[in-house]
Amino acid sequence: MPPPTSSKQLKIACSNCNLRELCLPVDLSADEMGRLEALSNSKRSFAAQDYLYRTGDHFKSLYAIHSGSFKTRVLHEDGREQVTGFLMAGEIIGLDAISTDSHTCEALAMEASEVCELPFAKLEELSRDIPSLQRHLHKIMSREIVRDQGIMLLLGSMRAEERLAAFLLNLSQRNTARGFSATQLQLRMSRLEIGSYLGLKLETVSRAFSHFQEDGLINVKIKTVELIDLPRLRALVGKS
Amino acid sequence: MPPPTSSKQLKIACSNCNLRELCLPVDLSADEMGRLEALSNSKRSFAAQDYLYRTGDHFKSLYAIHSGSFKTRVLHEDGREQVTGFLMAGEIIGLDAISTDSHTCEALAMEASEVCELPFAKLEELSRDIPSLQRHLHKIMSREIVRDQGIMLLLGSMRAEERLAAFLLNLSQRNTARGFSATQLQLRMSRLEIGSYLGLKLETVSRAFSHFQEDGLINVKIKTVELIDLPRLRALVGKS
DNA sequence: CGTTATTTTGAGCTGTTTCAAGCGCCGTGG
DNA sequence: CCACGGCGCTTGAAACAGCTCAAAATAACG
């Protein structure tokens, strides 16, 4: 049942990585960068649907997404599941597990992807030595908390179409941060997964897409979405 | 309009605090404990409805709740608000602000309360020196992430009565952790606030309370709640 | 003890879900 | 190369959970 986790070992060079500015090595000197590279001893590859980790797995490392994307989801005892995040290149995944030394959610690749493994014990050690790395690690964890609060606001007080608009704008903004188009989106996830993330049924997501298209806000073709009217999309999210 | 933040300065002694085991000083030697106490130079008092901090305030410190309780909420541009947490004694508040050096939500006292101020720069400095403190700080942040994921599951995939049952069980469990009753709850928040937290309207919360009472699950009298049938409450949350 | 805020309850309404059917794309195999 | 089958997406119609509006009951407060 569980697909075999394909894994390749490759040497890492943060200094050459084009995600440098988004990822962990922010504001580091060349020397400090070198020490961070020394820490991360492997890059692993994943095919779509491969697990990066599963609920209950022992916690050893954080992972920096080098390419591709992952989704995280929490499972409820009764089989219900909730997608808690869609993560893109440059983002750090696995922070949930620090709390109990075992993963409280699971992470799956949404396409062919690569991650840099960051053994957490070594990362803590290094961050005791490099204050700017320590500070940055704290910022990354805090940013995750802020992100989650935003999703709570979305789930707790927005209606279906507001949620979808907020979702699309979020993708657009993260695309931009990576030097890609703000208006041309390639969705990596299904309507079912979007629905789970947004607290909606897949039919509702589909209807909202169709409605946006009728209104001339977007152009949808399954997983290819073009944002036509960003201002009106923003207005929709309630920034009125 | 903003109530004046009453604030008293008092010396702190973690070593004598009965929240020692819940709060920051976990697994510290006497010497390390002393250094942590030296860091926290003040205890501040708040009356009900006083702000601990507001959205946009400059970030300087985390706060350990010494007594009383706080709620945190995020505000949306259009006036909507979402309560993101109810925090009790022993819990750390303010983690959201590390990310941007300014608070992304606001925190209000729900009753007369006291907090220990923990200047974050000093806390980081100290945690570079004391690995077990560093680890514990990381665990606290990670725990907050896990907590938020749980709320996302609740908001994204539970129905009204399941949400309320989960909420009550969570309060019960945290009461227990503090040596109080698992079944006798004193709510500090209104139906409106519970509704905001659970993504429901206050009328829906009230109806769910009434329904639970009819079913013999709980005894409600406004803010006094007795949990009568814990097993059935648990079953209700879907641990089926 | 009157005034105000909070909670409860009712009745009708609405947005989202549920159930069901049809469509289109894509990979597989004939 | 085309037919077939499967999966994901769309769309419709009916059901329902939770919301809105309204009013009464109860608690909190000066």
Side-chain angles (χ1 to χ4, degrees):
Chain A
M1 191 71 45
T5 294
S6 52
S7 172
K8 255 184 296 180
Q9 307 283 326
L10 287 168
K11 196 54 205 162
I12 288 176
C14 298
S15 32
N16 296 331
C17 181
N18 57 2
L19 295 167
R20 209 166 47 249
E21 296 305 320
L22 281 171
C23 188
L24 207 51
V26 167
D27 286 335
L28 297 187
S29 71
D31 173 60
E32 290 165 345
M33 189 92 80
R35 295 173 68 191
L36 183 61
E37 288 173 13
L39 168 157
S40 186
N41 44 30
S42 72
K43 181 151 52 174
R44 287 167 56 192
S45 301
F46 295 85
Q49 310 310 322
D50 279 358
Y51 281 92
L52 173 53
Y53 53 77
R54 291 162 188 266
T55 305
D57 280 1
H58 179 67
F59 172 60
K60 200 177 134 270
S61 302
L62 299 178
Y63 303 92
I65 302 178
H66 179 256
S67 66
S69 50
F70 288 81
K71 69 169 176 183
T72 53
R73 65 176 176 207
V74 295
L75 303 173
H76 201 186
E77 289 88 341
D78 59 3
R80 247 182 304 208
E81 70 174 66
Q82 171 76 26
V83 172
T84 52
F86 298 115
L87 291 105
M88 312 179 25
E91 297 176 325
I92 305 290
I93 188 168
L95 297 168
D96 57 281
I98 300 169
S99 131
T100 57
D101 281 323
S102 73
H103 286 278
T104 59
C105 66
E106 52 188 44
L108 290 92
M110 294 198 294
E111 60 189 311
S113 306
E114 297 170 299
V115 305
C116 304
E117 182 167 1
L118 307 165
F120 190 62
K122 291 188 192 170
L123 190 58
E124 281 189 319
E125 201 181 322
L126 196 56
S127 81
R128 288 199 294 271
D129 256 26
I130 307 177
S132 68
L133 179 63
Q134 179 197 34
R135 167 53 60 105
H136 193 64
L137 179 59
H138 292 160
K139 279 186 191 283
I140 284 171
M141 298 187 74
S142 176
R143 195 184 307 153
E144 176 70 20
I145 292 169
V146 172
R147 187 184 76 88
D148 290 351
Q149 286 178 348
I151 302 172
M152 287 164 61
L153 176 65
L154 180 147
L155 292 172
S157 64
M158 289 188 188
R159 312 228 253 85
E161 299 197 345
E162 297 176 302
R163 295 184 198 187
L164 185 62
F167 171 71
L168 293 173
L169 289 169
N170 176 263
L171 287 186
S172 161
Q173 180 248 305
R174 285 155 77 200
N175 246 15
T176 312
R178 280 157 188 79
F180 299 117
S181 168
T183 54
Q184 297 294 335
L185 307 181
Q186 272 302 321
L187 304 183
R188 294 280 125 82
M189 64 296 280
S190 69
R191 301 289 187 264
L192 184 69
E193 292 168 320
I194 296 173
S196 171
Y197 181 66
L198 299 179
L200 302 169
K201 295 296 155 189
L202 70 96
E203 294 95 329
T204 308
V205 174
S206 176
R207 278 184 245 270
F209 268 124
S210 302
H211 188 211
F212 283 176
Q213 171 141 305
E214 284 167 29
D215 278 13
L217 290 168
I218 65 174
N219 241 317
V220 209
K221 200 181 173 218
I222 310 293
K223 293 210 157 74
T224 306
V225 179
E226 180 191 4
L227 309 186
I228 297 174
D229 195 337
L230 283 170
R232 266 172 68 218
L233 273 173
R234 292 201 187 96
L236 225 165
V237 202
K239 297 187 198 284
S240 55
Chain B
M1 191 69 49
T5 293
S6 52
S7 170
K8 253 185 295 177
Q9 306 283 327
L10 287 167
K11 196 55 206 161
I12 288 175
C14 298
S15 31
N16 296 330
C17 181
N18 57 2
L19 296 167
R20 209 167 46 249
E21 297 306 320
L22 282 171
C23 188
L24 206 51
V26 167
D27 287 335
L28 297 187
S29 70
D31 173 59
E32 292 165 343
M33 189 92 79
R35 295 173 69 193
L36 183 61
E37 288 173 13
L39 169 157
S40 186
N41 45 29
S42 72
K43 182 152 48 174
R44 287 166 56 192
S45 301
F46 295 84
Q49 311 309 323
D50 279 357
Y51 281 92
L52 173 53
Y53 53 77
R54 292 163 188 264
T55 306
D57 280 2
H58 179 67
F59 172 60
K60 201 178 135 268
S61 303
L62 299 177
Y63 302 92
I65 301 179
H66 179 256
S67 65
S69 51
F70 289 80
K71 70 169 175 182
T72 53
R73 64 177 177 207
V74 295
L75 302 174
H76 200 186
E77 290 88 342
D78 61 0
R80 250 182 302 206
E81 69 175 67
Q82 172 75 27
V83 172
T84 51
F86 297 115
L87 290 106
M88 311 179 25
E91 295 175 327
I92 306 290
I93 189 168
L95 298 169
D96 57 281
I98 299 168
S99 132
T100 56
D101 282 325
S102 73
H103 287 277
T104 60
C105 67
E106 51 187 44
L108 291 92
M110 293 198 294
E111 61 189 308
S113 305
E114 297 168 301
V115 304
C116 304
E117 182 168 1
L118 307 165
F120 190 62
K122 291 188 192 172
L123 190 58
E124 280 188 320
E125 199 181 323
L126 196 56
S127 81
R128 288 199 292 272
D129 255 27
I130 307 176
S132 69
L133 179 63
Q134 179 197 33
R135 168 53 60 106
H136 193 64
L137 179 59
H138 291 160
K139 279 185 190 284
I140 283 172
M141 298 187 74
S142 175
R143 195 184 305 151
E144 176 69 21
I145 292 169
V146 173
R147 186 184 77 86
D148 290 350
Q149 286 178 347
I151 301 173
M152 286 164 61
L153 177 65
L154 179 147
L155 292 173
S157 65
M158 289 188 187
R159 312 230 254 87
E161 298 197 344
E162 297 177 303
R163 296 183 197 186
L164 186 62
F167 171 71
L168 293 172
L169 289 169
N170 176 262
L171 287 185
S172 160
Q173 179 247 307
R174 285 154 76 201
N175 246 15
T176 312
R178 281 156 187 79
F180 299 117
S181 167
T183 55
Q184 297 294 335
L185 307 181
Q186 271 302 322
L187 304 184
R188 294 280 125 82
M189 65 296 282
S190 68
R191 300 289 186 267
L192 183 69
E193 292 169 318
I194 296 173
S196 172
Y197 181 66
L198 298 178
L200 302 169
K201 293 295 153 187
L202 69 96
E203 295 95 327
T204 308
V205 174
S206 176
R207 278 184 246 270
F209 268 125
S210 301
H211 188 212
F212 284 176
Q213 172 141 305
E214 283 167 30
D215 279 12
L217 289 169
I218 65 174
N219 241 317
V220 208
K221 200 179 173 220
I222 311 291
K223 294 210 157 71
T224 307
V225 179
E226 181 190 4
L227 308 186
I228 297 173
D229 195 336
L230 283 171
R232 266 173 67 220
L233 273 173
R234 292 200 188 95
L236 224 164
V237 200
K239 297 184 198 289
S240 56

